Amino acid sequence: MGKIIRNIPNCITLLNLVAGTMAIICAFKGVEPLWGLRGWEWGAIFIGIGAVADFLDGFFARVLKAYSELGKELDSLCDLVSFGVAPSLLVFNLLDAAGAEPWLKWFMLIVPAIGAVRLARFNIDIRQSSFFTGLPVPANAIFWIGFCALCTSGAAFLTFPVVFLAVLAVESWLMISPLKLLSLKFHDYKFSGVNLWRYFLILAAVVLVFCMGVGGLLWLIVAYVCLSVCVKVS
């Protein structure tokens, strides 16, 4: 029984991987209809499911006291698929449908490569408990989902080579930057201290998505970075 309990978080982590794999499959449908939605929309949904699983595996690991080195490494491998490869392929396939230059999409291969470096650094950096050094890969995935939504809702300027490459360069740099960003992991749920900023970001997510739709997720990550720079994170 003890062995089963210890592996519950790992099983949830694998759900993250399955969701990420489904997102990749859906990404290749681009804007084509798939199960009542467009392919990229299902891809975004599966990335969201992966994010929920990513949260729950850590939650159950804490509740069940089932931490392990295996779980830590497994989590990073699954995150690379769901939040590095999957969003990269969403954009890769969507750029063609958005009428972008054919060569532009190949630059998206940078994203999973940078994401792998970000996750490897995280695994060997014991300081990142109350803050993150660089943009977390789930936040990277959220940004690109918002990007896809804006591209399909008329923001064609985002696919202009100069604009797109500038956005890609900044987003990639943020993942491996030395910037200290606010950790969104709650150690308690009090309305005080750094938790106030966490609750603010949750509220901002609701407001931005309500007002702007899924495209608001891009601006949520922009707000997250700006807030972390303005607030003293330690």
Side-chain angles (χ1 to χ4, degrees), residues 183-205:
S183 171
L184 300 181
K185 295 179 180 179
F186 286 88
H187 296 288
D188 59 62
Y189 298 97
K190 297 177 181 178
F191 284 89
S192 61
V194 73
N195 275 359
L196 290 176
W197 297 115
R198 295 186 176 107
Y199 285 119
F200 172 79
L201 284 170
I202 292 172
L203 178 62

Side-chain angles (χ1 to χ4, degrees), residues 2-219:
K3 184 176 289 188
I4 293 175
I5 291 175
R6 287 196 301 272
N7 279 290
I8 288 175
N10 292 341
C11 290
I12 298 173
T13 300
L14 291 174
L15 289 178
N16 176 9
L17 176 63
V18 172
T21 305
M22 286 297 299
I24 291 170
I25 293 170
C26 294
F28 283 96
K29 285 292 184 179
V31 295
E32 296 177 22
L34 179 67
W35 307 323
L37 296 173
R38 289 175 291 183
W40 81 264
E41 291 171 331
W42 275 113
I45 289 171
F46 280 115
I47 290 173
I49 293 171
V52 171
D54 187 48
F55 168 79
L56 290 177
D57 65 5
F59 173 79
F60 279 103
R62 289 189 294 272
V63 170
L64 300 173
K65 294 182 172 57
Y67 296 105
S68 69
E69 285 301 312
L70 173 64
K72 180 180 177 181
E73 299 300 327
L74 191 61
D75 185 69
S76 290
L77 291 170
C78 295
D79 283 358
L80 180 58
V81 173
S82 296
F83 310 129
V85 178
S88 174
L89 291 177
L90 280 186
V91 180
F92 182 94
N93 288 284
L94 201 65
L95 286 175
D96 280 337
E101 295 288 342
W103 52 267
L104 198 60
K105 63 185 179 182
W106 295 100
F107 280 91
M108 281 306 295
L109 299 181
I110 294 171
V111 173
I114 298 295
V117 174
R118 167 72 180 83
L119 288 164
R121 283 184 175 180
F122 178 80
N123 280 358
I124 61 174
D125 188 348
I126 60 174
R127 300 171 300 165
Q128 298 186 54
S129 57
S130 60
F131 65 87
F132 293 121
T133 301
L135 187 70
V137 288
N140 165 73
I142 291 171
F143 178 90
W144 289 115
I145 288 172
F147 180 92
C148 289
L150 290 175
C151 283
T152 56
S153 60
F157 72 93
L158 289 173
T159 64
F160 295 169
V162 173
V163 175
F164 176 79
L165 291 176
V167 170
L168 177 61
V170 172
E171 180 70 6
S172 298
W173 175 80
L174 282 172
M175 281 195 284
I176 55 173
S177 74
L179 291 177
K180 289 184 178 182
L181 303 182
L182 180 68
S183 171
L184 300 181
K185 295 179 180 179
F186 286 88
H187 296 288
D188 59 62
Y189 298 97
K190 297 177 181 178
F191 284 89
S192 61
V194 73
N195 275 359
L196 290 176
W197 297 115
R198 295 186 176 107
Y199 285 119
F200 172 79
L201 284 170
I202 292 172
L203 178 62
V206 173
V207 171
L208 286 169
V209 172
F210 179 79
C211 295
M212 301 181 63
V214 178
L217 294 176
L218 181 149
W219 295 111

